[in-house]
Amino acid sequence: MAFAQQLARSSLPLTTTSPSVFSSPIRFRASSLPISANNKTTKFRNWVTNFNSKSLSFFLSGALSLGISLTGVGCSEAKVGVNKPELLPREFTSVIDVAGLLSDGQERRLAQEIADLEKDTGFKLRVLAQNYPETPGLAIKDFWQVDDRTIVFVADPTFGNILNFNVGASVDLDIPRSFWSRLAGKYGNIFYWKEKGEDASIEAAVVAISNCLREPVGPNNCSEVK
């Protein structure tokens, strides 16, 4: 996978996850439809699938500036890659807020939670709050030394759902991919962050990720977003 496949085509083995455009597939009962309707239904289902895949790719390319979609479907509408190292802080921090979504106190609390998580599990959670195109973009790759044990969490309200994740290969082995979609669906949807605030969405997501990564790996780990 490429760290910036959608925007700049630089490489790093990551898996990108994001909520689907549709919460569930559209189904029809073929037996209740005439043949002509069946043909139209098939074409409509194919259109929905293609639209879902392209929308997801576009969503990721614009909001994240970091990865590619799980579908692997390219999107011709992908935005231009961003690389603005001047937006990076002078000193290392696991939380970068170039959008002003978090207070100083919230940033400190999140950074402490992330430090404790890394110490306990070895996984590296990194948080970037941005409003595309005002983002350091590709520059965070080297700044954070992103590797296969890194989760890059990008909070960006530009495309509706504020929660977006790029997940390293080692994380992907332990955490079911459905967890990230469920997490984004619960705390990232526009209704949630419009009512609670972008900061509340970010904090809730970090806590949920921390809880998930601390669970023993098994068939039911991370089955709940909490």
Side-chain angles (χ1 to χ4, degrees):
M1 294 296 183
F3 188 78
Q5 181 73 25
Q6 297 290 348
L7 300 180
R9 306 291 179 184
S10 65
S11 61
L12 185 73
L14 291 176
T15 298
T16 303
T17 56
S18 183
S20 297
V21 175
F22 300 103
S23 58
S24 59
I26 299 174
R27 296 186 176 90
F28 295 90
R29 294 183 61 184
S31 59
S32 63
L33 298 172
I35 294 177
S36 59
N38 280 336
N39 291 336
K40 290 180 179 180
T41 298
T42 300
K43 292 180 180 179
F44 179 72
R45 280 202 299 259
N46 292 337
W47 177 85
V48 167
T49 300
N50 292 333
F51 178 80
N52 184 19
S53 298
K54 286 192 173 184
S55 297
L56 177 56
S57 297
F58 176 69
F59 178 79
L60 291 169
S61 68
L64 291 180
S65 310
L66 297 175
I68 68 172
S69 72
L70 288 174
T71 61
V73 177
C75 184
S76 59
E77 301 93 335
K79 293 182 177 296
V80 177
V82 176
N83 186 12
K84 297 180 179 179
E86 65 272 17
L87 294 180
L88 293 170
R90 293 184 179 181
E91 298 182 359
F92 176 85
T93 175
S94 58
V95 181
I96 300 175
D97 180 15
V98 295
L101 304 181
L102 301 166
S103 68
D104 291 342
Q106 287 172 317
E107 285 191 44
R108 287 193 295 269
R109 287 196 299 273
L110 291 177
Q112 186 59 59
E113 175 66 32
I114 290 169
D116 292 342
L117 176 66
E118 188 170 345
K119 179 180 178 181
D120 294 341
T121 67
F123 289 118
K124 301 189 298 183
L125 175 61
R126 302 292 182 258
V127 178
L128 171 63
Q130 66 174 45
N131 272 307
Y132 182 87
E134 289 304 308
T135 171
L138 303 174
I140 68 170
K141 175 184 173 183
D142 292 330
F143 182 80
W144 278 335
Q145 294 296 298
V146 176
D147 57 26
D148 63 358
R149 296 185 67 80
T150 304
I151 302 158
V152 177
F153 165 21
V154 179
D156 189 329
T158 304
F159 293 103
N161 195 304
I162 196 172
L163 306 184
N164 312 277
F165 309 98
N166 283 67
V167 182
S170 293
V171 184
D172 198 38
L173 291 176
D174 291 345
I175 308 303
R177 293 186 177 186
S178 60
F179 168 78
W180 306 105
S181 295
R182 287 184 280 110
L183 174 57
K186 183 173 182 178
Y187 294 128
N189 72 81
I190 192 169
F191 302 104
Y192 185 92
W193 63 261
K194 282 287 189 182
E195 178 182 353
K196 306 287 187 180
E198 295 98 329
D199 57 337
S201 290
I202 295 169
E203 289 189 296
V206 168
V207 171
I209 294 169
S210 179
N211 289 335
C212 169
L213 291 174
R214 293 176 188 276
E215 290 185 20
V217 176
N220 297 316
N221 68 309
C222 304
S223 58
E224 296 182 20
V225 176
K226 53 187 179 181

